[in-house]
Amino acid sequence: MSAPQFKMASKKKDKNNDKTAKPSLSKEQLMDLYYYMKLTRMLEERLTNLYRQNKVVGGLYRSLGQEATAVGSAYALGPDDILSPLIRDLGAIIVRGAEPKDVLCQYMAKAAGPTGGRDLNIHFGDLSKGYIGPVSMLGDMIPVMAGVALAGRLQGKNIVTLAYIGDGGISTGAFHEGLNFAAVQKLPLIVIAEYNNFAYSTPTSKQMANKDIADRGVGYGIPAEIVDGNDVVAVYELTKRAAEICRSGGGPFLIEAKTMRMKGHAEHDDFKYVPKELIAEWAAKDPISRFETYLTSSEVSTQDDLQQVNDKIAAMLDEAVDHAEQSGLPEPSTALGGVYADDNGQVEKTIQEKKHSAAFGD
Amino acid sequence: MSAPQFKMASKKKDKNNDKTAKPSLSKEQLMDLYYYMKLTRMLEERLTNLYRQNKVVGGLYRSLGQEATAVGSAYALGPDDILSPLIRDLGAIIVRGAEPKDVLCQYMAKAAGPTGGRDLNIHFGDLSKGYIGPVSMLGDMIPVMAGVALAGRLQGKNIVTLAYIGDGGISTGAFHEGLNFAAVQKLPLIVIAEYNNFAYSTPTSKQMANKDIADRGVGYGIPAEIVDGNDVVAVYELTKRAAEICRSGGGPFLIEAKTMRMKGHAEHDDFKYVPKELIAEWAAKDPISRFETYLTSSEVSTQDDLQQVNDKIAAMLDEAVDHAEQSGLPEPSTALGGVYADDNGQVEKTIQEKKHSAAFGD
Amino acid sequence: MAEVTYLEAIRQGIFEEMEKDERVFVIGEDVGIYGGAFKVTEGLIDKFGAKRVIDTPISEAAIVGASVGAAIMGMRPIAEMQFIDFISCGFDQLTNVAAKMRYRWGQGVPMVLRGPCGGGVRGGPFHSQNPEMYFVHTAGLKVVEPSSAYDAKGLIKAAIRDPDPVLFFEHKFLYRRIKEELPADDYIVPIGKAAVKREGRDISLFTYGAMVYKAMDAAMKLADEGIDIEVIDLRTLSPLDEPAILESAQKTNKVIILHEDTRTGGIAGEIAAILGEKAFEYLDGPIIRITAPDTPVPYSPPLEEFFLPQVEDIVTAARKLAAY
Amino acid sequence: MAEVTYLEAIRQGIFEEMEKDERVFVIGEDVGIYGGAFKVTEGLIDKFGAKRVIDTPISEAAIVGASVGAAIMGMRPIAEMQFIDFISCGFDQLTNVAAKMRYRWGQGVPMVLRGPCGGGVRGGPFHSQNPEMYFVHTAGLKVVEPSSAYDAKGLIKAAIRDPDPVLFFEHKFLYRRIKEELPADDYIVPIGKAAVKREGRDISLFTYGAMVYKAMDAAMKLADEGIDIEVIDLRTLSPLDEPAILESAQKTNKVIILHEDTRTGGIAGEIAAILGEKAFEYLDGPIIRITAPDTPVPYSPPLEEFFLPQVEDIVTAARKLAAY
Ligand SMILES: Cc1ncc(C[n+]2csc(CCOP(=O)(O)OP(=O)(O)O)c2C)c(N)n1
Ligand SMILES: Cc1ncc(C[n+]2csc(CCOP(=O)(O)OP(=O)(O)O)c2C)c(N)n1
Ligand SMILES: [Mg+2]
Ligand SMILES: [Mg+2]
């Protein structure tokens, strides 16, 4: 099957000229990308509904408008590669095989979620599937993923690691230390910096005085390129190329994905600080509609095919939501234990201390 | 008096072409620069002697070979400007009016030192003279000096702040956060990055994968230039220009001074890890001999003039060393107090606690 | 007079100090037009402008470091951590730069660092922490945590006027849950003074922050049983109000220390040590600690409720201690 | 067998574990050709190469973070802080990433972080700190501090083999000042176990690190006066060996806690709280704390000596306590 044509938006920062690459994706792969993006969006829409019904515990963080960045990049990794998402990279862990029902259970604080209700949203990992959940402290996963890449090298595995960071997160010391360490060590680490115009309410212009995040590449002596983050194929192609460069010792690699956060920071955020025109401008660039147009106009698929994908996802999500809704909350006492590998009587000790057994002899 | 000619080694990083500026310094000013450099070196030589006699308490950190960077830059500041030195920028605080006897007393842990023996080497400050001593944690003074600049702006003062950092210190998160914050706020902060080839035993190639520290400027959206750190006039001229740019709202400004640490990290360091050729290469570029040659060959001064300066310094240092040697160590109990502005009975309480008065009723 | 929430009390305190003293300014993430994640700084930018209400990049070390720099120049910065958990990223600046400067070379650092702490809102391990002890253990810092709107306003003002670095912990569970009328006139609550929330004969219960309410609930229940609890709200954690602690313990002769912070190395230890050395002869029973267990703060409601000390825990322990 | 210094014992422990287990590697500033600022990693690069002895940029957060990343991939990193004071720059990674990962999603982080702590060498405020309590207070971390060459070797080995993050504090005053013969065979000192350094009837003295020697000196002097001190070297600070603490206190009925760390929030508080709750009935006298005061560590010899607890302080307090 001949690969379909697709306009590549990636540009080499230091050359500054557009170029058109041949997408290397098969029809099945293109449909995969569609599936993952759509699954991400529809799963988040379910979460939004659940949130409105007060069934989500805590905040809900949407990736609306950014699905192409998360999905396209994660899809470019090999099976043994490992990534670490940001809160808005649900699509990335979905590509790596995270189950919607697990995500739902996490957001609903259920016992059946992958952390048993101990941590929230996508704060969980599965090394067998190749993803490591983030901590909240922005930037912290950059050194960690550098370390994962370092371990890969020490173990003689030719793996690549991928860490996501926001236009806000790049201001952290951890980002700097981690990326610089990776650069000195030439570690196979891809950093995808999501330029989505805001960090909470803060516009990127208050985050940095330089124009593009990719401007930082030269200061670390590493390759850095900008990609249209709403173009899933472009993101895929650039990440794939970055992974090859990393695998052959040319890493780390900094990718800047230009995109837009189409909702507030979290569902509670009224989003008032975002100019209407900016929203309108980016709404027109919605990564999923755009990809649908491409898929149908380039005859990769018909409207019917797409509808089928949507139906399949909807059915799967019905089931996953049911599962999550019917799941129970964790047993209170499961708050204890698992702090160390060897509990060493800690749980029992804590329970005794709650009863003050030593003081009162009972 | 016509300004003497001097080859400027500063080059604009993005242009990469040398250019020759007219030094704006008077004869008196050139002699000032000589005096400060020589005073710095001779003071350190006295310290080295005292160190060998076990009269310096703790480590001794030399700036041999780097005097031009510290002196030239500090000399370019205005009277209300404020700088924060690194351990190897003794010359900078000397220019700002720090007294050799105070430095000696500090290094000898004497009560008469500016911290009363509480802190060591050049870890002290004097706001009235415009310098703030560093903490040991490298990088930390960059955000602090950004804050000093911010205060200046809020107070309507048109001051510039200057912070020194090493080729090692630039790897810290604090450096990144501080400089980026300054860039976003367009603060009048000059950062002088001293590329002296080593951070302790670590060569700069293990500190960063980029070639020049100035490469980082573009990533922060700020001007960055390289200067020959062993050329005191070049350092002066560039800092002066940077200060003007900062004062007129074009800051922050990153200056990279290429120089060489001509001794071990501290006096105890055997320096074995430094290739002999590198030492020889830089010995030939000694900033003081070089400046002496310039001063005499351009007829700014005669050998005799220089000798007079040296004699004057030697006499002053004799006296300062005497003073320091004769000074006493602090009273033990002055370890207490001064933790908070209002002691609030803390000293007395601590003394009672040492005696366990409350427990034993005495 | 209208009733004012704990959150609004803090906002008012900052507002009034900014009005009165032009050295005071606010710095942090999203503190400007957005008014802060919890809206504590809402409206400040309209009144005082972007010069004095500074939105920063996500750079806690820079926020703290720049505050130190501004403070030593005579300004009075109020730095916000969006959640107090992120203080971990400014830890070095706080403990090494801010805390030690006056001792080292006599230069004071009059700054306030404030932010929402504490659990009960399902924030999970990184949005619910109580990191006060890291700073109580650091000489040179002061640490306060108000439990009422009155104290919140009085303590934030005292903190802003203080010549040394003050960490101001705001318990986010209390932000909009409690309200009271506040005096129209300017007032402060002095740093270093505990408050007797309820006088009692039988047991001294030392606590602070949101736990004050659980302590008061427990005291009410216990009163029905004839057990008379003295509830002391520490309010300031560093410097501790040692005279108040000793006085109460010497009166009741029995002590419970209650905190939401985790157990090992929590402030209960410090208080136990003070009592063990200085009130040994007065104690008629074991010193009881009621604290969160030594785990991160879990997220799911049943887990978090299990993690947090509960009224029942206090009541049960107090009964046993009273009977001891 | 030759006698081995405390420093050399640590070096040997690392060396032997690296020889035996190829997952073990060393990472830090100047740990390679230079062999570390104190030469603890001297010679390792010659034997194991630059791949396993990694010189890093000055980036403590990256050192800790990269260690976490490598550890979760099955490696066994040993991260060095050039001075333990700089742990402040890795504080966030340690307390939020390393400490909480297992609890959050079951992923252990088997890493060691080690570095020189403590005073007595005129290092001043930033090269003499004892920051153990910041980490004792953080669930998910273990903290050890050996006082002898034997324990140093045994504990570093146990730390390297431990499935959880272990902070290994090396008291720099002891590096080259103490020596002993070590067993030829492989051994470990288990984490979580205190050691009775001297048995005694009259007073239990709990301490650790360099203070163990001051405690022993004091005990010897007091023995001449007929006061019999039991000296317990805690060795592990987290988790504390509570059974050993209780057992000794129940035997002697009188307790002194001695630490070089500053007073407020120091580990003496934690021990006082354990005793106050669990050994109340056994105590026949106040719990005496002997600690550094609440100040930064001063530099000048007379100041630092005043700051550090001294043998005389112990002797005086013990006499009074014995007579109590
Ligand atoms: C170190 C740190 N400081 C502050 C926060 C609070 N916070 C959470 S998300 C956020 C904005 C993040 O913006 P960005 O990095 O651009 O990511 P985006 O949300 O746009 O994907 C902030 C400030 C945090 N999580 N970590
Ligand atoms: C955050 C931090 N980590 C480690 C150290 C230990 N240390 C002191 S000086 C030094 C090397 C500094 O090199 P550089 O920044 O290049 O300055 P130079 O000594 O060359 O002037 C190191 C690693 C420190 N002071 N601070
Ligand atoms: Mg963003
Ligand atoms: Mg250097």
Side-chain angles (χ1 to χ4, degrees):
Chain A
M1 189 196 57
S2 75
Q5 293 230 154
F6 199 73
K7 169 79 172 64
M8 295 292 295
S10 117
K11 58 175 177 168
K12 194 127 193 169
K13 179 69 193 135
D14 48 0
K15 288 197 180 150
N16 230 43
N17 59 337
D18 282 13
K19 60 174 182 160
T20 307
K22 280 171 295 181
S24 53
L25 289 160
S26 70
K27 177 170 167 168
E28 282 72 22
Q29 288 175 313
L30 290 167
M31 289 306 287
D32 272 359
L33 289 176
Y34 180 68
Y35 169 80
Y36 288 125
M37 285 206 288
K38 208 58 212 265
L39 173 51
T40 303
R41 180 164 299 179
M42 288 170 71
L43 174 52
E44 287 189 2
E45 282 164 356
R46 298 295 176 110
L47 282 165
T48 304
N49 282 337
L50 291 162
Y51 178 86
R52 295 201 177 120
Q53 298 166 52
N54 278 317
K55 288 177 179 165
V56 163
V57 177
L60 173 60
Y61 303 81
R62 294 289 308 270
S63 70
L64 186 70
Q66 302 183 213
E67 296 92 342
T69 298
V71 166
S73 54
Y75 195 72
L77 295 188
D80 296 327
D81 296 340
I82 300 179
L83 63 78
S84 184
L86 278 188
I87 206 164
R88 258 175 263 289
D89 298 301
L90 175 60
I93 65 167
I94 291 288
V95 169
R96 299 301 295 182
E99 304 265 5
K101 71 175 169 36
D102 283 346
V103 175
L104 287 156
C105 281
Q106 276 278 109
Y107 263 107
M108 295 167 81
K110 297 298 177 79
T115 68
R118 287 180 167 194
D119 205 345
L120 34 71
N121 59 59
I122 64 167
H123 283 200
F124 62 96
D126 186 338
L127 281 180
S128 72
K129 291 179 174 164
Y131 61 93
I132 296 174
V135 296
S136 293
M137 286 67 194
L138 295 167
D140 279 9
M141 296 312 286
I142 306 292
V144 173
M145 295 310 285
V148 171
L150 179 69
R153 172 187 296 169
L154 287 164
Q155 293 165 341
K157 299 174 186 161
N158 198 8
I159 61 164
V160 163
T161 65
L162 166 56
Y164 296 88
I165 188 97
D167 45 68
I170 60 162
S171 302
T172 61
F175 166 80
H176 172 68
E177 293 197 4
L179 188 54
N180 184 58
F181 172 70
V184 171
Q185 285 287 330
K186 289 205 144 299
L187 293 174
L189 166 69
I190 304 171
V191 171
I192 301 209
E194 299 174 292
Y195 188 121
N196 67 357
N197 289 280
F198 290 92
Y200 211 139
S201 75
T202 305
T204 314
S205 60
K206 284 194 175 168
Q207 209 65 239
M208 60 190 200
N210 44 307
K211 198 175 139 284
D212 298 316
I213 299 172
D215 295 335
R216 302 252 157 115
V218 59
Y220 296 109
I222 62 170
E225 297 190 25
I226 297 174
V227 68
D228 176 349
N230 284 23
D231 178 342
V232 69
V233 174
V235 172
Y236 167 82
E237 296 285 354
L238 178 54
T239 312
K240 183 124 191 118
R241 185 155 51 80
E244 277 155 22
I245 289 169
C246 281
R247 242 181 276 278
S248 56
F253 198 108
L254 176 61
I255 293 176
E256 174 176 11
K258 298 281 193 193
T259 181
M260 171 69 186
R261 194 192 74 199
M262 294 298 287
K263 299 278 277 178
H265 173 62
E267 283 298 295
H268 67 258
D269 170 4
D270 62 19
F271 206 40
K272 267 201 315 235
Y273 49 83
V274 179
K276 293 280 160 301
E277 313 77 60
L278 191 65
I279 302 174
E281 177 196 329
W282 282 92
K285 302 188 212 168
D286 180 73
I288 296 186
S289 324
R290 182 173 163 188
F291 195 49
E292 283 172 346
T293 308
Y294 164 73
L295 290 174
T296 48
S297 67
S298 64
E299 284 163 33
V300 173
S301 73
T302 64
Q303 275 298 3
D304 266 13
D305 294 341
L306 299 183
Q307 193 51 52
Q308 268 183 12
V309 172
N310 283 272
D311 293 347
K312 187 181 132 198
I313 293 171
M316 189 238 268
L317 289 176
D318 286 345
E319 218 172 287
V321 170
D322 267 6
H323 166 88
E325 293 220 55
Q326 277 155 35
S327 288
L329 292 170
E331 276 304 306
S333 66
T334 62
L336 299 179
V339 177
Y340 300 97
D342 179 355
D343 174 64
N344 229 330
Q346 265 302 121
V347 169
E348 187 47 37
K349 181 168 172 276
T350 304
I351 288 166
Q352 295 300 322
E353 283 168 348
K354 240 176 140 67
K355 292 194 285 190
H356 310 282
S357 310
F360 302 122
D362 53 21
Chain B
M1 191 193 59
S2 77
Q5 291 230 156
F6 200 74
K7 168 85 172 60
M8 294 291 295
S10 117
K11 58 177 180 171
K12 192 126 194 170
K13 178 71 195 136
D14 47 1
K15 287 198 183 150
N16 232 44
N17 61 335
D18 283 11
K19 58 173 181 159
T20 308
K22 281 171 292 174
S24 53
L25 289 160
S26 69
K27 178 172 165 167
E28 282 71 23
Q29 289 174 313
L30 289 167
M31 289 306 287
D32 273 359
L33 290 176
Y34 179 68
Y35 170 79
Y36 288 126
M37 286 205 286
K38 209 55 213 270
L39 173 53
T40 303
R41 181 165 298 179
M42 288 170 69
L43 174 53
E44 288 189 3
E45 282 163 356
R46 300 294 178 112
L47 281 165
T48 304
N49 282 338
L50 292 163
Y51 179 86
R52 296 204 178 118
Q53 299 167 49
N54 278 318
K55 289 178 179 165
V56 162
V57 177
L60 173 61
Y61 303 81
R62 294 288 309 268
S63 70
L64 186 70
Q66 302 183 214
E67 296 92 341
T69 298
V71 166
S73 53
Y75 195 73
L77 295 187
D80 296 329
D81 297 340
I82 300 179
L83 62 78
S84 184
L86 278 187
I87 205 165
R88 256 175 266 289
D89 297 302
L90 174 60
I93 65 168
I94 291 288
V95 169
R96 299 300 293 182
E99 304 265 3
K101 70 174 169 41
D102 283 346
V103 175
L104 287 156
C105 281
Q106 275 279 110
Y107 262 107
M108 296 166 82
K110 297 298 176 81
T115 68
R118 288 181 167 194
D119 205 345
L120 33 72
N121 58 58
I122 64 165
H123 283 201
F124 62 94
D126 186 337
L127 281 179
S128 72
K129 291 179 175 165
Y131 61 94
I132 297 175
V135 296
S136 293
M137 286 66 195
L138 296 167
D140 279 10
M141 296 312 287
I142 306 292
V144 172
M145 295 309 287
V148 171
L150 180 68
R153 172 186 296 169
L154 288 163
Q155 292 164 341
K157 300 175 186 161
N158 198 9
I159 61 163
V160 164
T161 65
L162 165 57
Y164 297 87
I165 188 97
D167 46 79
I170 60 161
S171 301
T172 61
F175 166 79
H176 172 69
E177 293 197 5
L179 188 53
N180 184 57
F181 172 69
V184 171
Q185 286 286 330
K186 290 204 145 300
L187 294 173
L189 167 68
I190 303 171
V191 171
I192 301 208
E194 299 173 292
Y195 188 122
N196 66 355
N197 288 280
F198 290 92
Y200 212 136
S201 74
T202 305
T204 314
S205 60
K206 284 193 175 171
Q207 207 67 238
M208 61 189 200
N210 44 306
K211 198 174 139 287
D212 297 316
I213 298 173
D215 295 336
R216 300 252 158 115
V218 59
Y220 295 110
I222 62 170
E225 296 189 26
I226 296 174
V227 69
D228 176 349
N230 284 23
D231 177 340
V232 68
V233 174
V235 173
Y236 167 82
E237 295 286 353
L238 178 53
T239 311
K240 183 122 191 119
R241 185 154 51 80
E244 275 155 23
I245 289 169
C246 281
R247 242 182 275 279
S248 57
F253 199 107
L254 176 61
I255 293 176
E256 174 176 11
K258 299 280 194 195
T259 182
M260 172 71 186
R261 195 192 74 200
M262 294 299 286
K263 299 278 277 177
H265 172 62
E267 282 298 295
H268 67 259
D269 171 2
D270 62 20
F271 207 39
K272 266 201 317 235
Y273 48 83
V274 179
K276 294 279 163 299
E277 312 76 61
L278 191 65
I279 301 175
E281 178 195 329
W282 282 91
K285 301 190 210 166
D286 179 73
I288 295 186
S289 322
R290 182 171 163 189
F291 195 49
E292 282 172 345
T293 307
Y294 163 74
L295 290 174
T296 48
S297 68
S298 66
E299 287 165 31
V300 173
S301 72
T302 64
Q303 276 298 6
D304 266 11
D305 295 340
L306 299 184
Q307 193 51 51
Q308 269 183 11
V309 172
N310 283 273
D311 293 346
K312 184 179 136 199
I313 294 172
M316 189 236 270
L317 289 177
D318 286 344
E319 216 172 291
V321 170
D322 267 4
H323 166 88
E325 294 218 58
Q326 277 155 35
S327 289
L329 291 170
E331 275 305 304
S333 67
T334 62
L336 299 178
V339 177
Y340 300 97
D342 179 355
D343 174 65
N344 228 331
Q346 266 302 122
V347 169
E348 187 46 36
K349 181 167 171 278
T350 303
I351 288 166
Q352 296 300 323
E353 283 168 350
K354 242 176 140 66
K355 293 194 282 190
H356 310 282
S357 310
F360 302 120
D362 53 23
Chain C
M1 292 272 327
E3 292 197 319
V4 161
T5 62
Y6 179 91
L7 185 148
E8 173 63 13
I10 300 166
R11 207 190 69 83
Q12 281 184 8
I14 297 171
F15 190 97
E16 291 174 17
E17 292 301 300
M18 287 184 79
E19 252 188 327
K20 200 164 46 198
D21 183 349
E22 61 175 21
R23 300 172 306 171
V24 181
F25 71 97
V26 165
I27 181 167
E29 294 153 17
D30 306 294
V31 295
I33 16 157
Y34 197 71
F38 286 91
K39 305 290 181 191
V40 175
T41 56
E42 185 151 49
L44 294 184
I45 198 169
D46 304 325
K47 172 79 179 180
F48 302 106
K51 247 183 102 175
R52 288 178 70 196
V53 185
I54 301 172
D55 276 325
T56 68
I58 303 177
S59 303
E60 282 76 11
I63 293 169
V64 179
S67 296
V68 172
I72 65 186
M73 290 290 285
M75 300 299 291
R76 289 285 182 276
I78 305 173
E80 173 173 305
M81 301 281 103
Q82 198 156 85
F83 284 79
I84 204 70
D85 308 63
F86 304 128
I87 205 170
S88 55
C89 303
F91 176 85
D92 169 57
Q93 285 280 347
L94 277 167
T95 60
N96 284 315
V97 190
K100 298 183 174 42
M101 199 175 288
R102 184 186 293 282
Y103 183 80
R104 293 170 51 236
W105 58 282
Q107 177 59 55
V109 182
M111 65 174 280
V112 176
L113 183 137
R114 44 160 293 274
C117 71
V121 304
R122 318 312 175 207
F126 304 112
H127 290 77
S128 311
Q129 295 179 46
N130 294 291
E132 55 266 26
M133 283 309 288
Y134 298 129
F135 308 102
V136 170
H137 184 49
T138 306
L141 303 176
K142 299 183 180 182
V143 184
V144 302
E145 182 169 334
S147 73
S148 71
Y150 180 90
D151 287 351
K153 185 166 179 182
L155 278 169
I156 192 74
K157 288 187 166 223
I160 295 168
R161 297 178 199 176
D162 200 273
D164 288 304
V166 181
L167 276 54
F168 185 89
F169 281 36
E170 305 165 3
H171 202 296
K172 68 176 84 66
F173 187 82
L174 302 179
Y175 268 151
R176 296 173 193 278
R177 281 188 178 82
I178 57 169
K179 272 190 175 181
E180 67 186 298
E181 276 190 23
L182 298 185
D185 290 342
D186 179 53
Y187 71 96
I188 66 153
V189 169
I191 292 175
K193 293 274 169 256
V196 181
K197 284 297 200 185
R198 180 186 194 284
E199 289 197 36
R201 279 182 324 271
D202 299 329
I203 293 175
S204 299
L205 201 170
F206 301 113
T207 191
Y208 59 98
M211 285 295 129
V212 168
Y213 296 88
K214 295 205 172 156
M216 293 298 281
D217 281 2
M220 217 133 77
K221 286 198 183 168
L222 289 158
D224 296 341
E225 304 176 16
I227 302 173
D228 195 16
I229 307 285
E230 175 144 304
V231 178
I232 307 273
D233 179 358
L234 297 167
R235 300 198 294 194
T236 294
L237 305 178
S238 177
L240 270 175
D241 188 350
E242 209 176 285
I245 293 168
L246 290 171
E247 192 187 318
S248 179
Q250 285 171 9
K251 180 174 85 173
T252 64
N253 311 117
K254 290 184 177 173
V255 169
I256 295 176
I257 312 157
L258 164 69
H259 58 65
E260 187 184 311
D261 189 6
T262 53
R263 187 177 188 84
T264 300
I267 204 159
E270 183 57 27
I271 294 171
I274 292 168
L275 296 170
E277 177 157 345
K278 300 186 179 176
F280 176 73
E281 300 196 343
Y282 296 93
L283 291 177
D284 286 345
I287 298 171
I288 298 301
R289 277 201 283 185
I290 304 175
T291 71
D294 287 322
T295 72
V297 187
Y299 152 64
S300 188
L303 304 185
E304 193 180 22
E305 291 307 303
F306 185 89
F307 172 89
L308 295 169
Q310 299 297 344
V311 173
E312 232 3 75
D313 298 328
I314 308 165
V315 168
T316 316
R319 275 188 201 129
K320 291 183 189 172
L321 185 57
Y324 186 89
Chain D
M1 292 267 333
E3 292 197 317
V4 160
T5 61
Y6 179 91
L7 185 149
E8 173 63 12
I10 300 167
R11 209 191 66 84
Q12 282 184 7
I14 296 171
F15 190 97
E16 290 173 17
E17 292 301 301
M18 287 184 80
E19 252 187 328
K20 200 163 48 196
D21 184 350
E22 61 176 19
R23 299 172 306 171
V24 181
F25 72 98
V26 166
I27 181 167
E29 293 152 17
D30 307 294
V31 294
I33 17 158
Y34 197 70
F38 286 90
K39 306 290 180 189
V40 176
T41 57
E42 185 151 50
L44 294 183
I45 198 167
D46 304 325
K47 171 78 178 179
F48 303 106
K51 248 181 101 175
R52 289 178 70 196
V53 184
I54 301 172
D55 276 326
T56 68
I58 303 178
S59 303
E60 283 76 12
I63 293 169
V64 179
S67 296
V68 172
I72 66 185
M73 291 289 285
M75 300 300 291
R76 290 285 182 277
I78 306 174
E80 173 172 305
M81 301 282 103
Q82 198 157 86
F83 283 78
I84 205 69
D85 307 65
F86 305 128
I87 204 169
S88 56
C89 303
F91 175 84
D92 170 57
Q93 286 280 347
L94 277 166
T95 60
N96 283 315
V97 189
K100 298 182 175 41
M101 199 176 289
R102 184 186 294 282
Y103 182 81
R104 292 169 52 235
W105 58 283
Q107 178 60 55
V109 182
M111 64 173 280
V112 175
L113 182 136
R114 43 160 294 275
C117 71
V121 303
R122 320 311 175 207
F126 304 113
H127 290 77
S128 312
Q129 295 181 47
N130 294 290
E132 54 266 27
M133 283 309 289
Y134 299 129
F135 308 102
V136 170
H137 184 49
T138 305
L141 303 176
K142 299 183 181 182
V143 183
V144 302
E145 182 170 334
S147 73
S148 70
Y150 180 90
D151 287 351
K153 184 167 179 182
L155 277 170
I156 191 74
K157 288 187 165 224
I160 294 168
R161 296 179 200 176
D162 199 274
D164 288 304
V166 180
L167 275 54
F168 186 89
F169 281 35
E170 305 165 3
H171 203 295
K172 69 175 82 68
F173 187 81
L174 302 179
Y175 268 151
R176 298 174 193 279
R177 282 189 177 81
I178 57 169
K179 273 190 177 183
E180 67 186 298
E181 276 190 22
L182 297 185
D185 291 343
D186 180 55
Y187 71 94
I188 66 155
V189 169
I191 293 175
K193 293 275 171 257
V196 181
K197 284 295 197 186
R198 181 186 194 285
E199 288 198 39
R201 278 181 327 269
D202 299 329
I203 293 175
S204 299
L205 201 171
F206 301 112
T207 192
Y208 59 98
M211 286 295 127
V212 168
Y213 296 89
K214 296 207 172 156
M216 294 297 283
D217 280 2
M220 219 133 76
K221 287 199 183 170
L222 289 158
D224 297 341
E225 306 176 15
I227 302 173
D228 194 17
I229 307 283
E230 175 145 303
V231 178
I232 308 273
D233 178 0
L234 297 167
R235 299 198 294 193
T236 294
L237 306 178
S238 175
L240 270 176
D241 189 350
E242 208 176 287
I245 293 168
L246 290 171
E247 194 187 315
S248 179
Q250 285 171 10
K251 181 174 85 173
T252 64
N253 311 118
K254 289 184 177 171
V255 169
I256 295 176
I257 312 159
L258 165 69
H259 57 66
E260 187 183 313
D261 188 9
T262 54
R263 187 175 187 86
T264 300
I267 205 160
E270 183 57 29
I271 294 172
I274 292 169
L275 295 170
E277 178 156 345
K278 299 185 179 176
F280 176 72
E281 300 195 344
Y282 296 93
L283 292 178
D284 286 346
I287 299 172
I288 298 301
R289 279 200 280 187
I290 303 176
T291 71
D294 287 322
T295 72
V297 187
Y299 152 64
S300 187
L303 303 185
E304 193 180 23
E305 291 308 304
F306 185 89
F307 172 88
L308 295 171
Q310 301 296 344
V311 173
E312 231 4 76
D313 297 327
I314 309 166
V315 169
T316 316
R319 273 187 203 131
K320 292 183 188 172
L321 185 58
Y324 188 89

